[in-house]
Amino acid sequence: MSEITNMTALDQSQAMAEGQLSAAELMQATLRQIEKTNPEVNAIVSLRAADDLMAEARAADAAPRKGWMHGLPLAVKDLANAKGLATSMGNPMFAKTIAPNDDLVVARMRAAGAIIIGKTNTPEWGLGSHTFNPVHGATHNPYDLSRSAGGSSGGAAAALAARMVALADGSDMMGSLRNPGAWNNVYGFRPTYGRVPSETEGDTFLHQLATLGPMARTPRDMAALLDTQSGADPRQPHGARYDLTLPGIDASVKGRRIGWLGDWGGAFPMEAGLMAHSEAALPELEALGLSVEPVLPPFSAEAIWESWITLRSWAIAGGLSVFYNDAAKRDQLKPEAIWEIERGLSFSAMDVHRASVIRSQWFKTCASLFERFDALVLPTTQLYPFPVEWTYPEEIAGQGMDTYHRWMQIVTPVGLLGLPCINIPLQMGEKGLPAGLSLFGPRNSDAALMQLGESWHQAYRYAENRPPLA
């Protein structure tokens, strides 16, 4: 493997700024790594022509630096628009739909100098934490090609793990930056809701469940990308106050208090071995100078779940019902999308109100926890990467899963409240499969969480454990 593609993004950037590496050399190494690994992994889709990419890289070498991302290859998640590339969203109706313009977050990354090389694979519409679709097929886990890469930012995480790119953007409604981060042995970050604005389409006031965000193989790279993506959009009502995360990332974390929620008192069934794998990391957290204290279940997990699936289905119906209402297009929707839409359309206004009251009660309870703790921690997932040919797991530890996404219930306490959360990679499990922990904090604690991630990374270089094919 080219050592160039194993460099961090910030190291690549610095090497180009100092004339030790050219954008053309980096692009050539990137394309070789993609050629080597992508046929088996299927993480990057809609890859641009090599001649065009090399010409753009040579042009970057001849031009003044735009920003810290100048000359860095970047593949954009296939739910976001990148000018001139197809935005398929994994659905055949849009397989050849070429984006006329960049989405805001893509424009920000391009303005910082990134070269957009293609897209990263995602589940259809981003629904389900397993990356497969009828347009581009399934993304395979680089650590075990027979397993899922997770989702919905599964292509992004797999591309990072396989050293095809050093940075990746993604989005997260139901663990979509965290779950694939854990399953691909990389870092994923869900920002405070409103910090990274999405597009001004449809309702921008009510739906606060999903956010855009960064992934990388180091917290430092991830912080740099988050700072580039961040910034309020005056056209949107929920822009968040924020501090830059990279400048203070080396701050000491000693003395910070961490609350361990575990499996929420047994509410979240866990695959055999994963709970012990997660608990083995607690002494490692304490070795960083953190105090770790077990926390009893602070709120009903089932109440959080019911609130979540109500508000989620309502939001999805708001976005996708236009296709459901067209009989010719309805046939192009996968069953899980139809299930979400039909649920969302069935709710009364008071159903939605009751779900939001539960959300408000959980927010209040969580606020009291953050008076005691600087961050709370959960296992990122409830199971290890499952066989890639599955649609979704139908049971965990003998407990049946009653929806296509119940197996990711553990992510809902964070997502329901729009809280920031970082996935940190753990030491590989007994089967050689990756796993992670999720540390989350109050709104606008993004910088503090990045500091915890960086302290972890400096002590435990688990993300440097390369997959066999890389």
Side-chain angles (χ1 to χ4, degrees), residues 242-455:
Y242 69 93
D243 298 319
L244 293 176
T245 58
L246 183 60
I249 199 168
D250 292 316
S252 172
V253 300
K254 290 182 179 179
R256 296 191 193 180
R257 303 159 298 167
I258 308 296
W260 166 241
L261 291 162
D263 62 1
W264 212 274
F268 305 137
M270 306 288 290
E271 181 177 345
L274 184 54
M275 194 63 183
H277 189 178
S278 301
E279 289 176 333
L282 301 183
E284 294 178 304
L285 288 172
E286 292 177 327
L288 301 178
L290 305 170
S291 64
V292 181
E293 178 184 330
V295 179
L296 294 174
F299 201 84
S300 165
E302 194 63 23
I304 291 173
W305 175 251
E306 290 301 322
S307 174
W308 172 263
I309 62 172
T310 297
L311 295 172
R312 174 183 166 94
S313 291
W314 180 55
I316 291 170
L320 298 185
S321 59
V322 62
F323 305 110
Y324 177 87
N325 292 334
D326 184 328
K329 294 179 179 178
R330 185 183 304 176
D331 291 340
Q332 299 293 318
L333 298 173
K334 70 178 184 178
E336 293 80 11
I338 292 174
W339 180 83
E340 293 277 18
I341 295 165
E342 290 181 343
R343 291 187 78 251
L345 293 175
S346 74
F347 296 137
S348 69
M350 291 311 298
D351 290 332
V352 174
H353 173 73
R354 282 188 288 270
S356 196
V357 168
I358 293 170
R359 171 170 56 178
S360 302
Q361 292 169 341
W362 167 224
F363 190 92
K364 180 180 178 180
T365 300
C366 209
S368 66
L369 286 173
F370 290 130
E371 293 177 358
R372 296 169 51 200
F373 299 105
D374 297 289
L376 300 170
V377 61
L378 287 160
T380 298
T381 64
Q382 293 172 239
L383 71 170
Y384 291 106
F386 54 75
V388 71
E389 66 269 16
W390 290 10
T391 302
Y392 61 88
E394 296 183 357
E395 62 89 19
I396 301 176
Q399 183 170 322
M401 300 290 102
D402 57 358
T403 72
Y404 79 100
H405 52 11
R406 173 75 87 151
W407 60 277
M408 283 301 297
Q409 184 179 356
I410 200 165
V411 308
T412 60
V414 176
L416 187 62
L417 304 185
L419 302 180
C421 181
I422 186 172
N423 169 74
I424 58 172
L426 300 182
Q427 189 171 13
M428 290 291 172
E430 292 181 4
K431 300 178 182 178
L433 294 174
L437 287 184
S438 285
L439 291 94
F440 64 101
R443 289 197 180 196
N444 303 314
S445 64
D446 306 62
L449 292 172
M450 284 289 190
Q451 292 161 5
L452 288 168
E454 178 65 10
S455 182

Side-chain angles (χ1 to χ4, degrees), residues 6 143 160-163 181-187 216-219 276-288 423-429 432-437 439 452-468:
N6 194 47
Y143 288 89
L160 283 168
R163 274 54 178 178
W183 281 7
N184 291 273
N185 195 42
V186 299
Y187 293 88
R217 293 193 299 270
T218 70
H277 189 178
S278 301
E279 289 176 333
L282 301 183
E284 294 178 304
L285 288 172
E286 292 177 327
L288 301 178
N423 169 74
I424 58 172
L426 300 182
Q427 189 171 13
M428 290 291 172
L433 294 174
L437 287 184
L439 291 94
L452 288 168
E454 178 65 10
S455 182
W456 175 267
H457 183 72
Q458 291 301 323
Y460 313 112
R461 300 276 182 158
Y462 299 136
E464 294 179 359
N465 185 343
R466 303 179 192 175

